[in-house]
Every structure is written in structure tokens, then in C-alpha cells.
Amino acid sequence: MDPVTLAVLDNRLRAIVEEMGEAMLRTSYSQILNSSRDFSVAICGAEGDLVSQADHIPVHVGALPSAVQAVLAQFPAPRPGDIFLLNDPYDGGSHLPDLTILLPVFADGERCFFTVVRAHVSDIGGGTHGGYNPAATDIWSEGVRIPPIRLGEDGGLRDDLIRLLCANTRLPRDVRGDLMAMVGAARTGAARVEALLAQHGRDGLLAVVDAILGLSEAHARRIVAAWPDGIWQGEAVLDDDGHGRENITIRATCTKRGSDLTIDLSGSDDEVAGIVNSSRPNMLSAVAMAFAYLLDPEVSKNAGAFRPLSVIAREGSIVWAHEGKPVTLCTSHPGNEIVEAIIRAMQHCCPERAMGGWGRRFRVAIQGRSATGRKFVWHLFHARPGGGASAAGDGFNTAGEWHSAGGLKFGSVEQAEARFPLLFEAHEFRANSGGLGQYRGGTGAELRLRVESHGPALANTAGDGVRHGSAGMVGGPDGMPHAYTLLGADGAVRELRSKEVGVPVQPGDVLHLLSSGGGGWGDPGKRAEVAKQSDLRDGYTA
């Protein structure tokens, strides 16, 4: 097939998903989407193969094929004009706060593609505000569970189902607005794909897609084939589950033969009582994410690129929990740790591709009222941790966690202060937080955030990385772990645990947050003297 045509149409497909992402960004209601960008979009094939994606949240994207397959299992013959919705982690979803909208796209009466939008809403019901309930010991305490449903047909929407969903959230206006933004983005993508089908014909466009996937597979296999054959093992450790289990270990055995790579996670610890279990789609996505990080940036991350990859896991383990277990934290944890365990193993196979660990997620959600009496839920996306170093250089400062790889943004400080009763007293780099090495891990952040709510507020936390820092690679040291405290207006100091609910926050209290740095890469003794001096001058080290 003509390589110019392939290149043009591959970029046309990418342009469609990028336009879908812009539609989401510009029309969504909640801060978590229109400021922090916690959403992802994709085009999938008729049976769910990932065709094209925009650069948003990696841990979302690898789970989207499971969503398409779950819809087809319940609705094997979707019709033009159908709109589907799900969030059930045990039926196509990853965790409950992530709603997924899917639209089938037809040509000549044949289903050809799906446009898919996954977005993290501000509240999904459950036992506490904000979508994360560290007290949960089952999924029913985490929020509203939606198996694949037909949200609309003949191009319209079921308002009764939308009202049912909104009635079970604390922020119905935001959830409804975000859901409409998702539908709009998916419809935008579908219209653009339909135009492409009309221009090139069903058979012509499907042949192009097959060729694009084949090229990605060939590119990925050339990379893997250049690595030495062998078997390598790596581990990553979660702090705890919030219910007494500590040092929960993910174990990866990576077997490379020819141009194939098999990842076996079956040696990981058993599932736990708390919210750090993973659903199967999330686990598959985390493995795909780790593999993608080992490939060249130019490889199109579609279904073809992942054909060299095989996954083995054990149901009932921390990476693949039995149905009914709580999983809300899974996109972050153990999502990050699955990646970390795999990269720790593969550093012995392809050290020049194994970057240091990125910081772990430690989120805070605050519920209260503003001076006007308006109810708010604010999600912390500031004070991002540092990215890991690599053979290419130092890690990115405050870039975020491995599962998002910079896709989540902390947004404007001024905008946050304008929309919520908050005052940012300090938001700056945290010196010495990145792991040293030939290349230094990115720094975390120091944040002093004063809460100025009208009356008392409540906070909950959900995260990890207070005990274990980001992993160093190829001889590089780990980054520093998190340290979060609540400084009371009355002078009291309260250490914040990474998984707790119902933390009282009084007006004038200050959250003092020190986030983790990224892991270092390589022997610290090989770091250039000029780089050390630059770190001191810029305040990255002290």
C-alpha cells in the first residue's frame, strides 16, 4: 500500500481523536476534566482493537478494548444511533469514577469502528465524596456500579437513565455536564470517522487500518528482537491497603524470546480488603503501558504495537481481584506498581530503555461550602511528584505519576483560587526529592494550601508512596517518598495517612504537602560535575 496514503490517513485518525479531546476539554463542567484533563479518547475497531488514541492518560487507553468487548457481549448487534455507557470494573471498566461512553460507527450497514471516551467524574456516589472511599471493603461502598447499558438509541439519549445516575452523585450538575461533554466528544469523533469512510470507502479504510496496525506490529517486533533472550524478575511494593495489610508486593517475571515478550504477574500477592486491588482491564492496561514505555516514541501505540505482548495473571491476586472487591485506587495503585515491577525486571534486559520510577499518587479531596454557601468538592492535582530519569537525561520535575506520564495537569493556581475557597501560600520544587544518579529523578513539589471554606470542611485521602519512594534504575537511588501534614489554625500538626476518610479541616487550616521525586538512573558517581552545580544553582538539590 502507498506509504504516503498510509501516513496521511494515520495522521487523519490521530487528528480525529485529538479533536475529540479538545471537545472534552472545552465543554466539560468539572475541574477534574476541564483543568486537570483526567480523560482519554480513542477510536477502536469493530471488535475492540485499539486503532488510534490521543495523548491523554495511558492507563485509561489500554483498558478501552475491554470496554468495547463488554458492550458487544451484552449487545452483540448494536444499531446506528446507539450510545452505550459503562463503569463497572468487572464488566469492561477500570474503576467506578471512570465513566465510558461508546458509539458504534457504521458504513454500508456494517459496524466498522467505535469512538470511545473515558472520563473521571468528580463524584460517583458511595460512602464518601470524590469517588475514592478508603474505608470500602467491597465495591458497593465505592459508588454507583453501571454495567454496559444502552444510554441512547436512534441518536437520542435516555433522560431517565441520566437522571438515575445524577441522583446518585453529590454533584449532579457537574456529572450531567461532564456526561454530555463525553457524548458530544464521541459524536464529534463518529462524524469525522463517517466522513473518512465516505471519502475512502469502507473496504479501503479498513484495509488502511489493517496496514497501519501491521506496521506498528513490525516496528515493535524489530525493537523487541534486538533485545537478548532471557527471563528476568522484578518487584514493586505498595505501602498498605488501609486495613492493616502492609508491604503488598507485585511480582513480574518477564520472558523474552525472539520478538515476543511474556509478562507473568501470577506470583503477586493475594487480593486485599482495601481499595488497592486491580480490576482485570486495568491490569492489562498497566502491562501494555509498561511495554509501551520500552518502545520507541515513534511507534504508534495501537493494537498492532501490542501484538508481541502476552500476559499471564492469577485471579484472586492483587492485580486481578475477584468480583466484588474494592478497586477504586487501581488506576494509580497498583497500576503504578505493575509498571514498576515490569521495568525493574526489564532493566536487566534493555537498561538503556528502563527509566526510573515516576512518583506515586497521593490525592486529597475536600468537601465543603464556599462563602456563598455553594457546595464544592475539590480534587488535589497540584504538588505533582517527579518523573523518573532515563538514559536520555534527567526526569521531568513535578510531571506526575507513571500511570499518567504527564497527562494529568495541575492546572492554574489562580483559576483554582477563583473557583474554590483556597489560597496557595507556596507551590514550588522540593529540593533533594529526586533520586540521584548519572541522571537525576525529577523533583517533587512543596505545597502550602490554606483552606478558606465557609465553616468546617471534610477531607479524605487516597494514595500510596509514604513508605516506598519511586524506584531507581540501573544503579540509581530511589526518589524520596511523600510527606503530607495538616497544620491546624490552632497550631496542631496532624500527619496525613495515605488512606483515610473524614479528616476534619477547619477554616484557616493549611495542607503542607511534600510530594515524592522520581527515581534516578545510573551510577551517581558518573553524574557530570556541571550537572551537579546546575542542580545546586537551580535549587533541585541543596
Side-chain angles (χ1 to χ4, degrees):
M1 190 169 289
D2 172 20
V4 174
T5 300
L6 283 178
V8 169
L9 289 178
D10 188 22
N11 281 284
R12 282 284 297 276
L13 292 167
R14 292 185 190 183
I16 291 170
V17 290
E18 287 170 1
E19 185 179 357
M20 292 169 64
E22 283 299 308
M24 271 298 299
L25 182 65
R26 294 171 185 272
T27 60
S28 53
Y29 275 41
S30 62
Q31 157 253 348
I32 199 170
L33 300 180
N34 61 32
S35 180
S36 297
R37 307 184 184 215
D38 196 350
F39 62 83
S40 296
V41 297
I43 298 169
C44 290
E47 303 302 321
D49 282 349
L50 182 63
V51 173
S52 190
Q53 58 161 311
D55 292 331
H56 290 121
I57 312 300
V59 78
H60 283 169
V61 177
L64 296 183
S66 297
V68 176
Q69 293 154 15
V71 165
L72 292 176
Q74 295 298 322
F75 303 94
R79 303 183 296 267
D82 282 350
I83 301 173
F84 299 100
L85 170 70
L86 62 83
N87 77 340
D88 189 344
Y90 297 102
D91 205 356
S94 51
H95 69 164
L96 293 181
D98 284 343
L99 300 183
T100 306
I101 287 286
L102 307 96
L103 266 66
V105 181
F106 292 79
D108 302 327
E110 178 181 328
R111 186 180 75 249
C112 300
F113 299 100
F114 281 86
T115 56
V116 189
V117 179
R118 176 162 288 181
H120 187 123
V121 296
S122 293
D123 188 85
I124 196 65
T128 189
H129 64 275
Y132 292 81
N133 181 11
T137 55
D138 58 49
I139 194 171
W140 297 278
S141 301
E142 294 188 294
V144 179
R145 185 177 176 186
I146 309 168
I149 62 172
R150 185 181 273 123
L151 186 68
E153 50 192 343
D154 298 326
L157 292 170
R158 289 277 306 273
D159 190 63
D160 55 345
L161 293 179
I162 295 171
R163 285 188 284 109
L164 174 66
L165 172 61
C166 293
N168 284 280
T169 73
R170 295 169 179 82
L171 299 169
R173 175 187 176 275
D174 283 3
V175 170
R176 178 182 280 271
D178 290 341
L179 188 60
M180 294 303 99
M182 295 171 68
V183 171
R187 283 174 169 165
T188 297
R192 301 296 182 266
V193 174
E194 286 169 353
L196 210 55
L197 284 163
Q199 181 179 357
H200 295 276
R202 182 193 67 196
D203 293 342
L205 186 58
L206 293 179
V208 166
V209 168
D210 284 344
I212 290 170
L213 300 188
L215 286 170
S216 294
E217 178 183 5
H219 194 169
R221 288 193 180 279
R222 285 196 301 272
I223 293 168
V224 175
W227 304 340
D229 286 353
I231 301 173
W232 297 275
Q233 295 180 328
E235 294 185 353
V237 183
L238 286 156
D239 288 351
D240 62 84
D241 73 339
H243 294 269
R245 277 283 300 275
E246 297 183 346
N247 297 322
I248 304 156
T249 304
I250 287 85
R251 300 178 180 88
T253 299
C254 303
T255 303
K256 188 268 175 182
R257 293 283 183 267
S259 64
D260 293 298
L261 181 65
T262 299
I263 308 295
D264 186 348
L265 301 174
S266 55
S268 300
D269 283 357
D270 291 343
E271 61 192 12
V272 296
I275 64 175
V276 296
N277 299 294
S278 180
S279 60
R280 183 174 183 271
N282 181 75
M283 175 268 293
L284 294 174
S285 187
V287 174
M289 183 168 53
F291 182 62
Y293 292 162
L294 296 170
L295 300 177
D296 293 348
E298 295 79 16
V299 178
S300 294
K301 308 306 187 297
N302 54 39
F306 299 116
R307 287 173 183 165
L309 181 66
S310 300
V311 183
I312 300 170
R314 173 175 60 88
E315 189 171 11
S317 68
I318 188 71
V319 303
W320 180 6
H322 283 114
E323 183 171 352
K325 283 288 186 179
V327 295
T328 300
L329 200 53
C330 71
T331 53
S332 301
H333 307 292
N336 268 27
E337 288 70 32
I338 292 171
V339 176
E340 186 172 290
I342 293 169
I343 302 298
R344 273 184 154 161
M346 294 302 291
Q347 69 178 318
H348 306 295
C349 171
C350 48
E352 73 287 352
R353 293 177 177 267
M355 59 179 165
W358 286 49
R360 303 189 181 194
R361 185 81 168 101
F362 190 162
R363 60 172 294 287
V364 179
I366 303 172
Q367 173 182 267
R369 293 190 179 274
S370 66
T372 63
R374 181 180 64 88
K375 183 178 179 181
F376 73 90
V377 175
W378 183 76
H379 295 262
L380 170 74
F381 280 89
H382 297 76
R384 310 298 288 170
S390 69
D394 294 345
F396 296 112
N397 299 323
T398 63
E401 305 84 9
W402 228 335
H403 72 279
S404 62
L408 291 175
K409 312 297 182 184
F410 59 68
S412 163
V413 166
E414 291 80 10
Q415 188 179 77
E417 289 180 333
R419 296 175 66 181
F420 301 93
L422 304 169
L423 176 65
F424 288 75
E425 296 182 343
H427 192 221
E428 56 194 38
F429 294 137
R430 179 190 181 191
N432 299 322
S433 55
L436 300 178
Q438 183 177 350
Y439 298 108
R440 171 186 52 74
T443 68
E446 177 176 3
L447 169 64
R448 291 180 60 92
L449 179 68
R450 184 176 301 277
V451 179
E452 299 181 328
S453 58
H454 181 67
L458 275 180
N460 61 46
T461 67
D464 205 78
V466 172
R467 181 179 302 147
H468 300 285
S470 313
M473 298 290 173
V474 196
D478 294 350
M480 289 181 65
H482 300 296
Y484 282 24
T485 52
L486 179 65
L487 308 179
D490 60 0
V493 178
R494 186 188 197 280
E495 180 180 338
L496 291 175
R497 302 192 307 275
S498 60
K499 303 168 187 73
E500 57 178 321
V501 296
V503 179
V505 180
Q506 301 298 327
D509 286 359
V510 173
L511 290 166
H512 185 210
L513 311 180
L514 300 171
S515 66
S516 66
W521 189 95
D523 181 0
K526 295 182 179 180
R527 185 159 181 79
E529 186 62 33
V530 65
K532 295 179 185 178
Q533 294 302 318
S534 176
D535 288 343
L536 284 169
R537 182 182 67 250
D538 295 335
Y540 300 149
T541 59

